[in-house]
Amino acid sequence: MTDEMALRVRGLRKRFRQVTAVDGVDLSVAAGERVALVGPNGAGKTTTLMSCLGAVAPDAGTIELLGQHTRRARRAALARVGFASGYLPLPPHLRVLEFLTLYARLYGAANPGEQARAGLRQFDMDGLADRWGSDLSSGQRTVIGVVKATMHAPALLVLDEPTASLDPDVALRVRTGLLGMCREQGTALLITSHNMVEVERMAQRVIFLAAGRVLVDGPLAAIAAQLGQSSLEDVYLRLQEANAGGKATNAGAAS
Ligand SMILES: Nc1ncnc2c1ncn2[C@@H]1O[C@H](COP(=O)(O)OP(=O)(O)OP(=O)(O)O)[C@@H](O)[C@H]1O
């Protein structure tokens, strides 16, 4: 882990026609830190992530990825970032190992086949190596997407609802693999999820977004204590209630 920030976003704004999706978001993820972005449907989580990754062009704001301003040096920064979500497709006419080996080659691995196998082992998914992309279930495709996103040991891993379509056993394997990787390699993590148990297990800090704005940002224990709640689920419901009533709660620690 270095002193370099993995991600620093300031004043991010994005509007889609009549909808303000992101309305002045500031957030940061330190090197090696695990942060969850949570909030109700339509809060602006995916738009924030996509802006950070360059897939959405923001209307305003600055984004620094791994010390690089994305307007100037996005490509160099993105080479050290991994991204996975439950909605990315897989090529149907490649076997899983071929697909991963192709990516390992693109990542510049010295031994792409071995790197692909190691990626599958990390998530206990060796059994899928010879399966065709077209034959995988949506959950299996999701896990292979996570393997693809992590094989090159990224400095920052961005995950958009990575376990939404996974059964509890596979979701546990994915979480265990990810946490092991973050600890061993010092990978920073920015994850969105609607599963509050998952957020409690994966994240050291939680950023709660509603209507495109950050309501709370801080370690879960500090937020829970400040709001007098015992679980993230209760914190979530309390914040959503306050936000719906127009009383945004500023319970957060500074990012
Ligand atoms: N390409 C787009 N065109 C028009 N509106 C969009 C587009 N993408 C997102 N939006 C709108 O922006 C708002 C934020 O959407 P976003 O997908 O970022 O929310 P989210 O927090 O990720 O939601 P969810 O939890 O449901 O995935 C929503 O009102 C959505 O309808």
Side-chain angles (χ1 to χ4, degrees):
M1 191 165 120
T2 70
D3 290 339
E4 181 187 66
M5 289 298 287
L7 178 66
R8 193 195 310 266
V9 174
R10 291 289 172 260
L12 186 70
R13 290 181 197 280
K14 179 65 185 178
R15 198 176 163 82
F16 296 105
R17 290 182 288 276
Q18 304 307 315
V19 178
T20 300
V22 179
D23 194 10
V25 162
D26 293 345
L27 67 83
S28 60
V29 180
E33 188 183 24
R34 303 190 308 274
V35 176
L37 195 56
V38 307
N41 292 126
K45 303 180 295 295
T46 298
T47 306
T48 299
L49 297 190
M50 291 302 123
S51 302
C52 294
L53 296 171
V56 162
D59 299 326
T62 58
I63 298 164
E64 264 177 73
L65 253 185
L66 301 166
Q68 309 267 7
H69 276 276
T70 53
R71 276 192 193 160
R72 278 179 248 138
R74 177 180 300 136
R75 190 179 289 222
L78 283 178
R80 298 170 58 212
V81 175
F83 170 71
S85 76
Y87 48 81
L88 290 181
L90 229 63
H93 305 304
L94 284 182
R95 292 184 192 272
V96 165
L97 191 61
E98 291 171 339
F99 169 73
L100 293 174
T101 302
L102 181 68
Y103 266 89
R105 195 165 288 131
L106 290 174
Y107 291 145
N111 186 341
E114 183 41 43
Q115 185 158 6
R117 283 199 176 79
L120 285 167
R121 269 198 307 277
Q122 173 82 13
F123 295 93
D124 205 8
M125 287 287 153
D126 317 50
L128 294 181
D130 293 325
R131 301 279 296 276
W132 293 101
S134 56
D135 295 351
L136 298 186
S137 71
S138 63
Q140 289 167 333
R141 282 202 301 273
T142 301
V143 183
I144 298 308
V146 171
V147 175
K148 185 204 85 179
T150 52
M151 271 192 311
H152 60 313
L156 171 66
L157 182 60
V158 178
L159 300 173
D160 197 2
E161 300 189 44
T163 63
S165 63
L166 304 184
D167 71 53
D169 171 55
V170 177
L172 181 64
R173 271 192 268 172
V174 168
R175 276 186 221 119
T176 305
L178 288 171
L179 281 173
M181 184 189 124
C182 289
R183 289 193 186 115
E184 285 158 24
Q185 301 175 4
T187 314
L189 180 68
L190 180 61
I191 182 172
T192 75
S193 177
H194 290 287
N195 179 340
M196 295 303 121
V197 174
E198 170 163 280
V199 170
E200 280 176 328
R201 286 186 189 156
M202 298 291 294
Q204 298 157 313
R205 185 155 60 82
V206 180
I207 299 173
F208 190 97
L209 212 61
R213 295 182 182 191
V214 174
L215 289 191
V216 172
D217 178 347
L220 175 59
I223 296 172
Q226 198 157 346
L227 294 178
Q229 308 294 330
S230 58
S231 73
L232 182 57
E233 188 89 34
D234 293 335
V235 167
Y236 186 105
L237 294 170
R238 163 90 166 73
L239 284 169
Q240 215 170 345
E241 202 179 270
N243 186 59
K247 297 175 283 175
T249 308
N250 186 6
S255 60

